[in-house]
Amino acid sequence: YARTDTYSLSWLRAALVKSKYTPLQVAAGVGVAATALAGGVAAARDPDVADALSAPAEHVWEQLENALPPLRSHPKLVLGALGFAALGGALMWRRYLVASSLGRAAEMQAQVRVVKQQPPAVLAGLLDSQFSPQDKTDTIRLLVIGISAHQKLELLERLLVQLGYESVTVFGDCFDEVTLLDPVRFPGAIKVFAREICRNDLLNFGRLHFFFPDSRLALDLSTDKTLKEARFDRHFVRDLVWSRHQLEELAERRFRAAQDALKTEAEAALGKDYVNDPAYQEATKTSFADLFKKVRGEDFSSYLSKLSTPRELLIMMTEMFARIEAHPEGGLTAQDMEIAVTKAMEQAV
């Protein structure tokens, strides 16, 4: 993946950040310069041609001497001053162009929030190769970045298609883990965010998969205004709920995976032969059901039925393991499981 991503970025850089002159233009320039040099050498060797070319030059020189009398008395000094003035003007103009280019690049970067920005000089070179100096930042942003979320996604998909990808797919999850969307610190923020995401113009883009931490009813997505703007009837939306049997199977698989990891660590520390010894395996053999020996089957099913998501399940298991570590000789009771389920439902909100 890293190699493919690096290749795509390199290809994109080569396609967008083009050199100032193409090989054809360089070849044409060399040809014109060589032709002019050959013509000058031929003219210098022919007295008639040299006289014909020198006459206009002498006329222009006389006009300059009449316009600038010091040129007649101090020609080298005047020509030197004019040369320095022209060089200074060219340098100032070049500095102005570079400053304007870097300023435009900085304005573009100010509106793009990424982890690591490209150097302004790189972005300035990209903008200079694609747009003229007269193009303003707002115009460029409208053409290549977009204003609305739907327009940004369309421009991004167009770029990825040029890179050889089929399309773009967006996955969104863990929204409540973002600081500004924390339901504890900002109770209504996640609801506002959900309403902004669930809009028909954005959902029409397709291939958008968002996983919200609560149901549509809890996120206020079932009001008449939201239903009119979102048009859920045109898009595939459903509430993800896991049954008790699915959660129990998931818990068993997680527990077996943890046991396998402990076995690997034991093999590295004690040796593979010692760990595979039947006596050691019998002494360390523990199944997921062994954790609930003191919990009746109907109580276990009743408590587990209160959970509906893997997040709640993992929080419950974390709480139960903490209680096992605190009281390794007692085992889990129905009261412990009830407390763990209650905490899971509280912390998963």
Side-chain angles (χ1 to χ4, degrees), residues 125-136:
L126 173 62
L127 296 177
D128 293 341
S129 64
Q130 298 293 317
F131 304 95
S132 64
Q134 291 76 24
D135 292 329
K136 301 299 182 182

Side-chain angles (χ1 to χ4, degrees), residues 116-173:
K116 183 180 179 181
Q117 291 278 7
Q118 291 289 333
V122 175
L123 182 58
L126 173 62
L127 296 177
D128 293 341
S129 64
Q130 298 293 317
F131 304 95
S132 64
Q134 291 76 24
D135 292 329
K136 301 299 182 182
T137 305
D138 294 338
T139 304
I140 299 175
R141 186 181 298 113
L142 179 64
L143 294 176
V144 301
I145 297 182
I147 303 300
S148 65
H150 187 272
Q151 185 183 13
K152 292 179 180 179
L153 288 173
E154 285 185 341
L155 292 172
L156 177 61
E157 183 180 32
R158 192 182 307 167
L159 175 61
L160 292 176
V161 170
Q162 292 180 358
L163 290 175
Y165 296 96
E166 183 178 351
S167 62
V168 57
T169 301
V170 180
F171 291 90
D173 196 4

Side-chain angles (χ1 to χ4, degrees), residues 19 39 47 53-54 72 101 129 184 192 196 199 222 276 297 321:
S19 58
L53 294 177
S54 62
R72 185 172 301 172
S101 178
S129 64
V184 178
V192 177
E196 291 298 322
R199 301 178 64 91
S222 297
N276 292 331
F321 289 142

Side-chain angles (χ1 to χ4, degrees), residues 249-262 286 288:
E249 180 183 359
L250 176 60
E252 291 180 356
R253 291 167 57 188
R254 288 294 183 96
F255 186 77
R256 287 198 301 267
Q259 294 294 91
D260 293 340
L262 292 176
T286 303
F288 182 72

Side-chain angles (χ1 to χ4, degrees), residues 27-235:
V30 172
V32 171
T35 302
L37 180 62
V41 172
R45 292 180 178 180
D46 192 340
D48 296 335
V49 176
D51 293 339
L53 294 177
S54 62
E58 292 177 355
H59 178 71
V60 172
W61 182 257
E62 291 178 359
Q63 296 293 332
L64 291 176
E65 288 181 343
N66 294 331
L68 297 173
L71 185 61
R72 185 172 301 172
S73 57
H74 304 87
K76 295 182 179 180
L77 182 61
V78 174
L79 291 177
L82 292 177
F84 277 114
L87 180 61
L91 291 177
M92 291 297 293
W93 178 249
R94 174 63 180 172
R95 184 176 180 181
Y96 168 76
L97 292 179
V98 172
S100 301
S101 178
L102 293 177
R104 184 171 66 175
E107 291 182 8
M108 291 292 297
Q109 286 183 329
Q111 301 296 328
V112 179
R113 292 179 293 178
V114 294
V115 176
K116 183 180 179 181
Q117 291 278 7
Q118 291 289 333
V122 175
L123 182 58
L126 173 62
L127 296 177
D128 293 341
S129 64
Q130 298 293 317
F131 304 95
S132 64
Q134 291 76 24
D135 292 329
K136 301 299 182 182
T137 305
D138 294 338
T139 304
I140 299 175
R141 186 181 298 113
L142 179 64
L143 294 176
V144 301
I145 297 182
I147 303 300
S148 65
H150 187 272
Q151 185 183 13
K152 292 179 180 179
L153 288 173
E154 285 185 341
L155 292 172
L156 177 61
E157 183 180 32
R158 192 182 307 167
L159 175 61
L160 292 176
V161 170
Q162 292 180 358
L163 290 175
Y165 296 96
E166 183 178 351
S167 62
V168 57
T169 301
V170 180
F171 291 90
D173 196 4
C174 303
F175 295 122
D176 55 333
E177 297 180 11
V178 180
T179 302
L180 295 179
L181 298 179
D182 188 350
V184 178
R185 299 177 58 185
F186 308 101
I190 188 69
K191 297 180 180 180
V192 177
F193 177 76
R195 287 196 298 269
E196 291 298 322
I197 289 292
C198 297
R199 301 178 64 91
N200 185 46
D201 57 343
L202 180 60
L203 297 178
N204 274 335
F205 177 78
R207 298 178 299 282
L208 302 178
H209 307 278
F210 300 130
F211 300 91
F212 288 99
D214 217 328
S215 63
R216 279 184 287 173
L217 182 61
L219 292 173
D220 292 342
L221 295 179
S222 297
T223 61
D224 294 338
K225 181 180 179 181
T226 304
L227 292 176
K228 182 179 179 180
E229 293 179 350
R231 292 301 305 274
F232 288 137
D233 58 309
R234 301 178 57 184
H235 309 288

